[in-house]
Amino acid sequence: MNRQLQAFPAFRLRPPADDSAPADVVDANDLVVGQVDAAAGGYRGRAGADSGPKRADALRAAEDAAVFHIALHGPADAEHQPYSSASEARAAVALIPLQRQEIVDAAARAYFFHALRQEHVTAILDGLEAIVREHFAIGTRGGCRRVARLLDQVRKPAQALLSQAAGDERDWMAFPLARLLAFTEMAAGRLGATATEPVSDLDGPFPDPHSADQALATAFRTYRDVQALANALPTLPEATLHALGTLDDAAAQLPSGPCAKNRADCRTAASALGELATAARNLHAAASDTAAEVHALAQELTAIAADTSARLNATALLLEDAGRHGSVRTILSTLREAELGGESDAGTRSVRVGDTETGPIRRTEDGRWTGPGITDPYRSPEGAAAALIDHFRERQAAARPHA
């Protein structure tokens, strides 16, 4: 009976026809991608000539074979699903820098005293440092795309080193590189999917002030990246220089401290980020073919600043409704019991508790939100949705027979 691999659900371990043969690791199409061999009281997963460490469990060895396959061929389509939450995405990305020590140790054995001067190893380690710095960028859709792009700074040198390593060098480096590549390939694909189909905690109000501060810091770091890249170029057209100056002016208006302590701070920061997004958009349009990297990074900054601005505006509206429910935490806690749908073309959003639709809520002409039984509209969709959920729970409680 085939057994699914827990770490890589698209792959399965198929038992051998007889005890003397290796077990096969197969993909979703039942194609063999590797084998698991018995090895002196344990098991080793292999793909082609590459093999992983000895494992006590055959399924762990099968996961090693899958790692080699993903490193060389990329993850299966089924592995490109969006993350269920920002915290899940951060946890997956956090695994990548944890591979640093394994890469360093393997490089020391493969290259001896020259390990940290091997160009691909150096590039990998630099890329891992960048991922550590940007770990908390995964708080907006634009931030997800930024981290996915930065993963290339790890992935490309790792792919280059794996493709050229041979002999003893490959024996030491193949599995650590493959494991690193498997994590980066899967994270990059899923971050892209998450940015395209964002989970609830990447849209709408920030769950806490610290998350807002992290998103603002990501926007500022991205601006500094644009600035550094532009300064490194020998010449730039006059239109691009003018757009860069406007971008510098907009960045100078960003808050230097906490940005979401209250409604006023949220609106001030949102306005400054809106100006930064506009300036970045103009730079993207002005950057010439000779500044292609500036052009691309300006687009990234536009998305991050616009996403963060929108979320801060949503946070300000939620703070206005907090008094009617007790606190922001109360509203967000209530919303965890339900599913708040996206806004339709008609300006409505569904509010489902289990299989029951308690809404929908709808946008009023003055931009507020109302729904069945709501006589005083709310400023935020979250406030209106929480009110409907509370009313639904009250009706449920009243309908229960009393002892």
Side-chain angles (χ1 to χ4, degrees), residues 60-97:
R60 285 291 308 280
E63 289 174 355
D64 294 342
V67 159
F68 282 117
H69 179 79
I70 293 169
L72 293 173
H73 303 286
D77 291 341
E79 306 289 356
H80 284 124
Q81 299 300 314
Y83 289 111
S84 62
S85 65
S87 59
E88 185 194 9
R90 290 192 189 101
V93 172
L95 292 173
I96 295 169

Side-chain angles (χ1 to χ4, degrees), residues 343 346-351 359-365 367-372 374 377-378 381 384 388:
E343 187 171 354
T348 63
R349 299 182 68 172
S350 65
V351 184
I361 56 172
R362 60 179 175 81
R363 192 189 292 271
T364 63
E365 290 184 0
R368 295 173 182 256
W369 289 86
T370 189
I374 296 176
Y378 287 80
L388 292 189

Side-chain angles (χ1 to χ4, degrees), residues 219-234:
F220 188 74
R221 287 195 305 274
T222 309
Y223 154 70
R224 294 298 298 268
D225 287 351
V226 173
Q227 190 183 49
L229 193 59
N231 289 340
L233 295 174

Side-chain angles (χ1 to χ4, degrees), residues 47-59:
D50 295 321
S51 62
K54 188 168 75 171
R55 305 290 192 185
D57 181 75
L59 283 175

Side-chain angles (χ1 to χ4, degrees), residues 176-219:
L177 287 170
R179 186 174 170 83
L180 179 65
L181 280 167
F183 284 135
T184 56
E185 291 280 1
M186 292 179 67
R190 295 195 67 184
L191 283 171
T194 303
T196 303
E197 302 176 36
V199 291
S200 58
D201 55 357
L202 289 183
D203 268 336
F206 286 106
D208 53 71
H210 185 54
S211 297
D213 294 339
Q214 289 172 335
L216 176 64
T218 298

Side-chain angles (χ1 to χ4, degrees), residues 2-60:
N2 291 356
R3 291 190 288 172
Q4 190 177 55
L5 307 188
Q6 184 176 358
F8 308 106
F11 299 90
R12 290 167 290 121
L13 177 63
R14 186 169 65 194
D18 60 76
D19 292 341
S20 62
D24 290 330
V25 180
V26 298
D27 64 11
N29 298 314
D30 217 32
L31 297 175
V32 176
V33 301
Q35 284 80 33
V36 171
D37 297 314
Y43 302 89
R44 287 188 189 275
R46 62 178 172 83
D50 295 321
S51 62
K54 188 168 75 171
R55 305 290 192 185
D57 181 75
L59 283 175
R60 285 291 308 280

Side-chain angles (χ1 to χ4, degrees), residues 181-348:
L181 280 167
F183 284 135
T184 56
E185 291 280 1
M186 292 179 67
R190 295 195 67 184
L191 283 171
T194 303
T196 303
E197 302 176 36
V199 291
S200 58
D201 55 357
L202 289 183
D203 268 336
F206 286 106
D208 53 71
H210 185 54
S211 297
D213 294 339
Q214 289 172 335
L216 176 64
T218 298
F220 188 74
R221 287 195 305 274
T222 309
Y223 154 70
R224 294 298 298 268
D225 287 351
V226 173
Q227 190 183 49
L229 193 59
N231 289 340
L233 295 174
T235 58
L236 285 170
E238 187 63 33
T240 304
L241 289 171
H242 177 74
L244 280 166
T246 304
L247 184 71
D248 291 340
D249 292 341
Q253 301 306 310
L254 293 177
S256 58
C259 65
K261 292 183 297 184
N262 51 52
R263 288 174 289 174
D265 285 352
C266 286
R267 291 198 172 95
T268 298
S271 176
L273 283 159
E275 293 296 324
L276 185 69
T278 299
R281 194 176 295 113
N282 291 337
L283 175 61
H284 175 260
S288 65
D289 292 339
T290 58
E293 291 183 353
V294 173
H295 178 86
L297 204 51
Q299 185 177 35
E300 184 176 288
L301 176 57
T302 301
I304 291 171
D307 286 350
T308 307
S309 176
R311 295 199 67 181
L312 281 166
N313 276 322
T315 304
L317 295 176
L318 182 63
L319 286 167
E320 290 195 44
D321 289 336
R324 296 177 64 177
H325 286 277
S327 68
V328 167
R329 181 175 295 179
T330 301
I331 296 175
L332 296 179
S333 177
T334 301
L335 290 176
R336 292 191 194 102
E337 304 174 21
E339 180 182 349
L340 177 59
E343 187 171 354
S344 70
D345 293 340
T348 63

